[in-house]
Amino acid sequence: PDGRVVALKLLRPELSDDRGLRTRLAREAEALRSVRGDRNVQVFDVVTEGRWAYLVMELVEEFLL
């Protein structure tokens, strides 16, 4: 809604009915949120209810070594 461009990590449709995978996705978001640093993306949201399950994350357009 704020116009920000983001990256999505979406569970494949054939796997999205798997409750265990939705739980793992939520745990992944929690783990990512607990780690801070300049080499980690920010997680803005995690959606595990409804038709689609996905993470909404900061989009990194360039990767510098």
Side-chain angles (χ1 to χ4, degrees):
D2 63 7
R4 159 177 51 190
V5 178
V6 297
L8 295 179
K9 179 176 183 177
L10 177 68
L11 283 182
R12 293 190 335 225
E14 65 270 19
L15 300 176
S16 64
D17 287 337
D18 186 321
R19 196 70 3 261
L21 288 177
R22 287 176 179 254
T23 299
R24 285 176 55 185
L25 189 69
R27 283 196 314 251
E28 179 180 345
E30 185 178 325
L32 287 169
R33 286 177 171 156
S34 72
V35 178
R36 297 280 181 216
D38 61 352
R39 296 187 183 267
N40 300 327
V41 297
Q42 182 178 358
V43 175
F44 299 123
D45 198 6
V46 58
V47 176
T48 58
E49 298 299 323
R51 183 175 179 198
W52 304 103
Y54 56 92
L55 295 178
V56 181
M57 301 175 287
E58 172 185 10
L59 177 65
V60 177
E61 295 189 38
E62 293 183 30
F63 183 78
L64 302 175
L65 296 176

